[in-house]
Amino acid sequence: MKIVIVGAGTVGYSLAQYFSALNHNITVIEKDKKLCEHINNKLDVFVVEGIGSSPAVLDEADIKSADLVIAVTPSDETNLLVCNFAMQNNVKKRIARVKSALYTNVTPNISIEELGVTNLIEPEREVMKRVLQYVELPDVLETANFQSNNIYLRGYRISEDMPIANKTLSEINEISGTSQILFLVIVRAGESIPPRGDQKLIPGDKIVAIMPKESFKDFCALINHQVLKMDKIVVSGDSLTAIHLAEALKPMCEQVILADPDLEHGRKAASLLQGVDVFHIDSTQSDMLEELNIKHVDCFIGAGQYAEDNIMSCLLAKVEGAGMVIALRNDTRYDKLFTSLGMDHIIYPQEITLNAIIEKIQMVSIGTHLQLKSANLEILRIQVKKNSPVTGKSLKKLTKLLKKSITIGCIIKENSVIIPQGDTIINENDEVLVLSNKDNLDLVNKIFKPEKGIQPQAL
């Protein structure tokens, strides 16, 4: 597949690196000469120096022959214009990263699709959704939503008071009744254990489960979690993400406070937000945190423009007695250090954006969302082709073909999410989530690859 990537910042570079490793034909357009030189030295891709919205530059990148265009420059206008030009050149799939609500909250008579965008990526909203998942389930270890938020993946540590503690997976399946919940992996003392029916969950185990959205309430009951409103949440920051978060958190909390270090930004936020208390406060100062009565805050979220300020304000809030603290940060260095100092969760917006874009394109590794690295786990989303060895067969008949370390996690059939049973049949065009030991990825690709002569198509 030929992919043209416009913009070579952190996300654009990572996309080029990812798809180049999969042997796709990659062209990168970037106006910064130094970035172009860096990419030429590091990656096996074709680089065009110039402004991505220039028809001449797009022509030099041979956009007419592209299967996919991804526009991820810092400019929303440029990204939208790139997609429009790509549409005029008959490029089938066109992805734009857009941050401003000017373009995402458009009136009904204005269509982003008519501009040429087939898939819109909104970084702030993607980050917001991840934060809300942690607020919804405060003690969660792993969290990610897929398939337009219809599939939930959650990881949790088993404790003695949970109904599923000291029970086998078969017994848990009986307790859960008609709810579709599949336990993907069990980690005990740093080692992964196959999730067989006779396997008992004991306190201290870490589990990762996957389920359709409608089964989440029953999952919460299994882990003895009641979804209750928090009393007080503070969002700290001078960013669009902070505003989105403050607005989205209102149904989940009695009082939401936005602590904005920028006076003008705070005034703008106050004019946009109803039912949110907005204060001009620098959360990196201990005395200012005291003004928020921080020891009575259930959750503190550092969501400003400066990552280091987010980390510092969260650590200070934790010291002053705040409950859960969540920081947004793009640099993954020192994350173990910050966690050891009391950070509950660090969220990486650029990584979330990258994964959101990849998920729109083709089979996607969900393993990148998991922190349980010791599980040696990969989860792939794959579209089943007509001539795949699994097409038209039930899971029972695939037992010999699939090793014990390869599991069909769930099947998406025409937007319905199915947790498969032995008699479930996999059909052409079904999307399946495949759980596999990393050592067996070649076998997974072989099983789901169509017979010779049939070329796989990207999702």
Side-chain angles (χ1 to χ4, degrees):
M1 181 164 61
K2 179 169 181 178
I3 304 173
V4 175
I5 299 171
V6 183
T10 303
V11 173
Y13 181 89
S14 298
L15 286 168
Q17 186 178 41
Y18 177 86
F19 288 113
S20 177
L22 294 176
N23 296 318
H24 291 291
N25 181 0
I26 308 299
T27 297
V28 176
I29 299 175
E30 171 56 49
K31 66 179 181 180
D32 188 296
K33 185 175 182 179
K34 289 185 178 180
L35 273 178
C36 289
E37 292 174 352
H38 178 70
I39 295 169
N40 268 322
N41 292 331
K42 294 291 185 179
L43 302 178
D44 183 19
V45 301
F46 179 61
V47 180
V48 177
E49 183 182 338
I51 298 173
S53 56
S54 163
V57 171
L58 291 170
D59 188 55
E60 185 180 350
D62 194 19
I63 193 172
K64 295 187 295 295
S65 65
D67 302 294
L68 166 67
V69 167
I70 309 172
V72 285
T73 75
S75 167
D76 290 352
E77 291 77 10
T78 297
N79 296 339
L80 292 172
L81 194 54
V82 166
C83 286
N84 185 270
F85 287 151
M87 177 181 65
Q88 294 180 48
N89 281 276
N90 299 315
V91 179
K92 186 177 180 181
K93 199 171 186 69
R94 307 168 298 272
I95 298 176
R97 179 179 65 179
V98 176
K99 296 182 179 180
S100 175
L102 289 172
Y103 302 113
T104 56
N105 296 336
V106 293
T107 57
N109 60 320
I110 300 295
S111 170
I112 290 293
E113 288 76 15
E114 291 294 325
L115 289 175
V117 180
T118 58
N119 294 100
L120 190 69
I121 303 297
E122 302 177 69
E124 277 73 20
R125 294 195 183 278
E126 294 294 333
V127 171
M128 178 190 71
K129 287 187 287 186
R130 181 62 59 86
V131 173
L132 294 181
Q133 291 166 25
Y134 284 120
V135 174
E136 184 179 47
L137 208 58
D139 296 325
V140 71
L141 300 175
E142 314 286 349
T143 178
N145 292 351
F146 307 100
Q147 203 67 23
S148 301
N149 290 315
N150 287 319
I151 301 175
Y152 283 19
L153 181 147
R154 297 292 185 269
Y156 228 80
R157 187 188 302 275
I158 303 300
S159 60
E160 193 71 52
D161 62 336
M162 293 181 181
I164 59 176
N166 299 306
K167 289 185 174 61
T168 66
L169 295 184
S170 294
E171 290 171 334
I172 294 169
N173 188 49
E174 292 180 8
I175 295 172
S176 59
T178 58
S179 293
Q180 299 185 74
I181 301 170
L182 181 68
F183 290 87
L184 296 177
V185 66
I186 304 167
V187 178
R188 182 176 298 162
E191 298 294 330
S192 59
I193 301 172
R196 300 187 308 269
D198 60 352
Q199 182 61 56
K200 182 181 290 188
L201 299 182
I202 63 175
D205 285 351
K206 298 176 184 177
I207 56 98
V208 176
I210 195 165
M211 69 209 78
K213 180 180 180 179
E214 54 268 24
S215 295
F216 179 65
K217 183 178 180 181
D218 292 324
F219 175 74
C220 289
L222 290 176
I223 60 173
N224 201 27
H225 174 77
Q226 293 183 344
V227 181
L228 300 173
K229 272 191 173 184
M230 291 186 176
D231 291 326
K232 187 175 181 181
I233 296 178
V234 172
V235 180
S236 172
D238 54 351
S239 65
L240 181 59
T241 300
I243 294 175
H244 283 328
L245 276 172
E247 178 66 31
L249 286 165
K250 288 193 299 183
M252 307 174 73
C253 186
E254 296 296 337
Q255 181 186 20
V256 178
I257 294 174
L258 175 62
D260 198 321
D262 185 290
L263 181 59
E264 288 305 314
H265 187 273
R267 286 173 176 166
K268 179 181 178 181
S271 68
L272 294 172
L273 296 169
Q274 301 296 322
V276 174
D277 298 320
V278 181
F279 296 103
H280 177 218
I281 285 179
D282 181 357
S283 298
T284 62
Q285 305 296 322
S286 295
D287 56 339
M288 289 193 175
L289 284 178
E290 290 178 7
E291 293 182 25
L292 298 173
N293 200 10
I294 200 70
K295 63 182 178 180
H296 294 298
V297 169
D298 298 298
C299 179
F300 182 95
I301 304 166
Q305 296 186 48
Y306 302 104
E308 301 314 315
D309 285 352
N310 294 339
I311 292 289
M312 180 60 69
S313 61
C314 281
L315 292 177
L316 283 174
K318 197 71 171 181
V319 169
E320 296 296 331
M324 178 172 60
V325 296
I326 304 171
L328 273 55
R329 186 171 188 262
N330 278 319
D331 189 345
T332 59
R333 294 179 301 170
Y334 316 125
D335 55 348
K336 290 184 178 179
L337 171 62
F338 294 137
T339 301
S340 69
L341 292 174
M343 191 71 65
D344 292 297
H345 302 291
I346 302 176
I347 293 175
Y348 304 99
Q350 290 179 349
E351 182 180 287
I352 291 173
T353 303
L354 175 67
N355 288 329
I357 293 172
I358 293 173
E359 188 181 355
K360 298 292 184 184
I361 299 169
Q362 60 173 39
M363 93 172 175
V364 59
S365 171
I366 300 174
T368 56
H369 294 275
L370 299 177
Q371 298 175 16
L372 300 179
K373 304 300 182 184
S374 57
N376 193 33
L377 179 70
E378 281 287 354
I379 309 176
L380 302 174
R381 189 191 76 192
I382 305 173
Q383 188 176 45
V384 178
K385 303 300 179 180
K386 182 177 181 179
N387 288 53
S388 168
V390 304
T391 304
K393 296 183 175 66
S394 67
L395 260 62
K396 190 181 297 182
K397 290 185 178 180
L398 292 173
T399 303
K400 293 182 180 179
L401 187 63
L402 301 176
K403 288 189 174 181
K404 289 184 178 180
S405 55
I406 300 176
T407 303
I408 305 295
C410 68
I411 303 173
I412 298 99
K413 292 177 180 283
E414 299 178 351
N415 294 323
S416 296
V417 180
I418 299 170
I419 300 298
Q421 306 296 324
D423 57 355
T424 303
I425 295 175
I426 300 175
N427 294 315
E428 180 186 358
N429 294 325
D430 285 352
E431 291 184 6
V432 295
L433 293 189
V434 182
L435 171 73
S436 172
N437 184 296
K438 290 181 180 180
D439 298 333
N440 287 324
L441 290 183
D442 287 342
L443 178 59
V444 171
N445 290 326
K446 182 179 179 180
I447 290 171
F448 286 91
K449 184 178 179 181
E451 292 177 2
K452 189 174 181 181
I454 304 296
Q455 295 299 318
Q457 298 177 359
L459 297 183

